[in-house]
Each structure stands twice: as structure tokens, then as C-alpha cells.
């Protein structure tokens, strides 16, 4: 959520910035009208509340003196209905303003290039040289199907489209990748391993920006029955529970920066991706990811952003997977981000790079929604923290990249050296 003072004091300027950078249409006239009404009703509500308090005190004093309190009681009754109506309208207006605020995306950092979509993203770094093959390259679906290791048909019978069953060596490779990443981030990069719930409440989804805007992309279930029933959401990424750990909390300065990592299942409805990447494991309803989350002091968040992105890059370099770093333009960034780097890994079968990690600085956007704060030792007062999140990295896509980049002419797959200790010393899957 953006700073409320921008909405109250500079609605026209904010609308212009959102239109130019995000293609987002904000109606400043409607916002100004609501804000004007809010001020008027708030003043009148406070007047009526003060009047009620004053008259209530006068009634008490009159009763103590044995005086007739009927006139005072009649006066209180006369403005009581107006006070109730005024309080109700004030809450309605505040809710309308909050609904508008919750739907506004974050403003891009000054260093983010202007653009409409992914074609305007800027490459900032490239590592590794794509391998040259002397045989016909197979994609991950063909490689996995040879031994029944990757089975989409059985998954479709069990659950429907965009699910996969993994077996044998491929299932072990998938598990090995996750273990390798968690060990790397905890042992070398200073992140604390954290196990988080896969079901979260609406407050958690709202805190990181998935609600209300992206509800159609989420899987949800109802827990309990009747009046006790409540909605729970399957997490689209462990960013949600990790970041919400500090919701409504004040983190002491000595604990900053707070760095957490989690390996978890992730669930996405992929509501807006019909017809895209339906073959294999590129785009699934259920997948696994190793997530990185940092809670930091505001003046350190851009250094932390570079550091986090580098941690994800080390995963790919250690696996020997060629990649490039892309700085996303204003039109391609996520809702909560102010600056984002995507890492794209080389996939030989597609002869192109595909996203495998996205690392974002959200500044105080999520923290304001969550009331996540840190105590500034200079003032002793709580201030909004900055939050960052990144994939470190997507396990399924890393497995696809390993399969395709390490494939052999006979359909076998060489195991990268970094993974062999997690594979019981196996060097080749065949």
C-alpha cells in the first residue's frame, strides 16, 4: 500500500505517475470527493461525540443534585440517531478509500526502465555459454517419458491438467535440487531455514498484496462450518507466510536484517495463462520453490536487493546453468514491487532463456499493509521496515534446466557435481 498522504494530498500527481509508469487508471476526482466527504463527516462525528460526552456528564451531575434530567435526556436522544448515522457513513467512506488504496500497485524506483511489457526489459548481466550439441536435443518431457519418470497422463487422471507425477531418478533429482538450494542458502548465504504453513488466512494474503486484486489466481478452501467457517488460501509462494511472520510486529534493530528461506509447495490457479506452456512442467498448478525473504532497514534495501539476486545467481552458477539477469521495466513488474530482477535460465529445447527466479524490492509497500515495523535506535520509535522476496530458485524449472542442459545422446542425464552427494553418488540417470 502506498503512503496515504499521497492519496490525500497529491491525488492528481499520483494518478499521472501511475498512468505513465504502470498503465493504472486512478480517478483522482472520485478520490478527492471521498476524502472531502470523509473530512466533513469526521468533523461532524467528533462534534456529536463531544456533545454526547458533555451531555452525559451533565445528566450525571443533574441526577446527583436531584434535578429534572428529562430535557437533557431528550436532547441526547435527538442527536443520537444522527451520531449513529454519521459513524456508519464514516466507516463506509473509510472502507471505500481503503479498497481503492489496496488496489493501487507500487510505484517503480527511479532506476527502473520505462516500458509496456517484457520486450522492454533490460539485460544487465549474462553468465555461461550455452552448450553445443552434436545430436538432436530433446525437451524435458521427452527425456522424462523415456523411463516413465515424468508422467503427465497419470497426473491428469488424478488431478487434471497442469499436474505431474515424478518417479524414480527424476523424483530423486527434484528432491536433491531442493536440498542443495536450502543448504546453500543456510550454510553460505546466511538465511534461516523456516518451515511454514501451506494454508494461510486472508489477512496474510492481503498483507503481501495477493488480495484483493489476484483472488482469481488463488486456490481457496473453507475451514469449519456455519458461523465458525473461515476461508483459507493455499499459498502461491512461501513469500506470503514468511513475510507475514512480521505482520503487526516490531522487530528490534539488533535482529535486522532478518533473512529467511523456505522450501515449500506452491499453488497457483494460472487463471490468466490459458494455452501457455501446457506441455510438461513449465507452468503447473502445484510446484515447489525455495524462497528467500528479507526484512531490512529502509536505507539498506537496495543493497539487499543486489545481494539477494546474487544468492539466486550462485545457485545457477554452481549447477553450471547458463543464465541472464533482466531488469524488469515498469510495465512488467509485479504488483507489490518497486524494482525487480528476473533470472532467466537457458533451455536448449526452446533455444531461449526462461524465467527461473524473480527477486523484488517492495520497499514499505507490503510493510504498510502489514504494519511490519522495526525500532530505529536513533529515535527509539517504530518505523516501517522494507521487505524483499526472491526465488532461490524454482525447483521444477531448475530440474528442467538440468535435464536439458545435461542430456546425453542416449537420453541419459548427467548429474551436476554439486548434486551428487544428494543423489547417493549417482553420476548419470539412465
Amino acid at each position: 500500500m502506498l503512503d496515504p498522504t499521497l492519496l490525500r494530498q497529491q491525488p492528481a500527481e499520483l494518478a499521472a505517475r501511475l498512468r505513465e509508469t504502470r498503465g493504472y487508471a486512478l480517478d483522482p476526482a472520485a478520490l478527492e470527493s471521498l476524502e472531502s466527504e470523509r473530512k466533513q463527516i469526521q468533523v461532524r462525528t467528533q462534534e456529536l461525540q463531544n456533545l454526547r460526552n458533555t451531555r452525559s456528564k451533565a445528566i450525571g451531575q443533574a441526577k446527583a443534585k436531584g434535578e429534572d434530567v428529562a430535557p437533557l435526556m431528550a436532547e441526547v436522544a435527538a442527536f443520537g440517531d444522527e451520531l449513529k448515522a454519521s459513524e456508519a457513513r464514516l466507516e463506509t467512506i473509510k472502507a471505500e478509500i481503503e479498497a481503492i488504496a489496496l488496489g493501487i500497485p507500487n510505484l517503480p524506483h527511479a532506476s527502473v526502465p520505462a516500458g509496456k511489457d517484457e520486450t522492454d526489459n533490460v539485460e544487465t548481466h549474462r553468465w555461461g555459454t550455452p552448450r553445443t550439441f552434436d545430436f538432436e536435443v530433446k525437451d524435458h518431457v521427452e527425456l522424462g517419458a523415456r523411463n516413465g519418470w515424468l508422467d503427465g497422463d497419470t497426473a491428469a487422471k488424478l488431478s487434471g491438467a497442469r499436474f505431474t507425477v515424478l518417479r524414480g531418478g527424476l523424483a530423486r533429482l527434484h528432491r536433491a535440487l531442493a536440498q542443495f538450494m536450502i543448504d546453500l542458502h543456510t550454510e553460505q548465504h546466511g538465511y534461516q531455514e523456516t518451515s511454514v504453513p501451506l494454508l494461510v488466512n486472508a489477512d496474510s494474503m492481503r498483507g503481501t498484496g495477493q488480495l484483493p486484486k489476484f483472488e482469481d489466481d488463488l486456490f481457496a478452501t473453507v475451514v469449519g462450518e456455519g458461523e465458525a467457517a473461515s476461508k483459507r488460501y493455499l499459498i502461491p509462494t512461501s513469500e506470503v507466510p514468511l513475510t507475514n511472520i512480521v505482520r503487526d510486529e516490531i522487530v528490534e534493530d539488533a535482529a535486522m536484517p532478518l533473512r529467511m528461506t523456505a522450501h515449500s509447495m506452491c499453488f497457483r490457479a494460472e487463471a490468466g495463462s490459458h494455452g501457455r506452456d501446457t506441455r510438461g512442467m513449465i507452468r503447473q498448478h502445484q510446484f515447489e520453490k525455495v524462497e528467500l525473504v528479507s526484512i531490512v532497514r529502509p536505507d539498506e534495501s537496495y543493497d539487499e536487493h543486489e545481494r539477494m539476486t546474487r544468492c539466486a545467481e550462485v545457485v545457477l552458477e554452481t549447477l553450471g546453468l547458463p543464465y541472464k539477469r533482466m531488469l524488469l521495466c515498469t510495465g512488467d513488474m509485479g504488483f507489490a514491487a518497486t524494482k525487480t530482477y528476473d533470472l532467466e535460465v537457458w533451455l536448449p529445447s526452446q533455444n531461449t532463456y526462461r524465467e527461473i527466479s524473480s527477486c523484488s524490492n517492495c520497499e514499505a509497500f507490503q510493510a504498510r499493509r502489514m504494519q511490519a515495523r522495526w525500532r530505529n535506535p536513533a529515535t527509539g520509535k517504530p518505523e516501517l521496515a522494507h521487505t524483499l522476496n526472491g526465488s532461490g530458485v524454482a525447483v521444477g524449472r531448475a530440474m528442467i534446466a538440468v535435464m536439458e542442459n545435461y542430456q546425453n545422446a542416449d537420453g541419459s542425464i548427467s548429474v551436476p557435481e554439486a548434486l551428487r552427494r544428494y543423489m547417493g553418488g549417482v553420476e548419470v540417470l539412465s
Side-chain angles (χ1 to χ4, degrees), residues 340-369:
T340 298
Y341 290 118
D342 271 7
L343 301 184
E344 298 181 356
V345 69
W346 177 255
L347 294 186
S349 69
Q350 298 185 18
N351 197 38
T352 192
Y353 292 88
R354 294 299 303 269
E355 179 198 339
I356 193 170
S357 172
S358 188
C359 298
S360 298
N361 185 355
C362 300
E363 291 192 357
F365 187 84
Q366 293 177 327
R368 186 172 287 108
R369 297 165 80 106

Side-chain angles (χ1 to χ4, degrees), residues 185 188-191 257 259 292-294 296 300-314 325 341 359 388:
H185 294 314
Q188 297 186 30
H189 296 158
Y191 289 86
R259 298 184 177 116
L292 306 174
V293 163
S294 295
V296 303
E300 297 173 348
S301 65
Y302 282 94
D303 287 340
E304 184 71 13
H305 190 208
E306 298 294 330
R307 180 190 186 279
M308 175 180 285
T309 306
R310 182 61 195 146
C311 290
E313 289 175 340
V314 170
R325 182 199 287 202
Y341 290 118
C359 298
L388 302 93

Side-chain angles (χ1 to χ4, degrees), residues 144-155:
R146 290 171 66 89
N147 297 289
W149 289 339
L150 193 157
D151 188 348
D153 292 337
T154 298

Side-chain angles (χ1 to χ4, degrees), residues 20-39:
E20 293 168 3
T21 61
R22 289 289 209 161
Y24 182 86
L26 175 66
D27 185 348
L31 199 56
E32 287 177 325
S33 177
L34 283 170
E35 181 60 23
S36 176
E37 185 179 1
R38 181 196 66 79
K39 289 179 179 178

Side-chain angles (χ1 to χ4, degrees), residues 163 198-222 231-241 244 265-274 284-287 335 369:
F163 290 91
L198 301 183
L199 281 171
V200 297
N201 56 31
D203 286 343
S204 295
M205 286 293 190
R206 192 176 297 109
T208 44
Q210 279 75 23
L211 288 179
K213 185 175 177 62
F214 301 106
E215 183 148 15
D216 289 345
D217 290 322
L218 304 172
F219 287 111
T221 187
V222 176
K231 206 169 188 179
R232 295 290 187 273
Y233 295 87
L234 286 163
I235 62 170
T237 163
S238 54
E239 168 205 343
V240 177
N244 274 275
M265 291 285 190
C266 305
F267 304 87
R268 296 185 185 176
E270 298 289 357
S273 61
H274 297 296
Q284 299 270 280
H285 287 314
Q286 173 187 308
F287 59 97
F335 176 78
R369 297 165 80 106

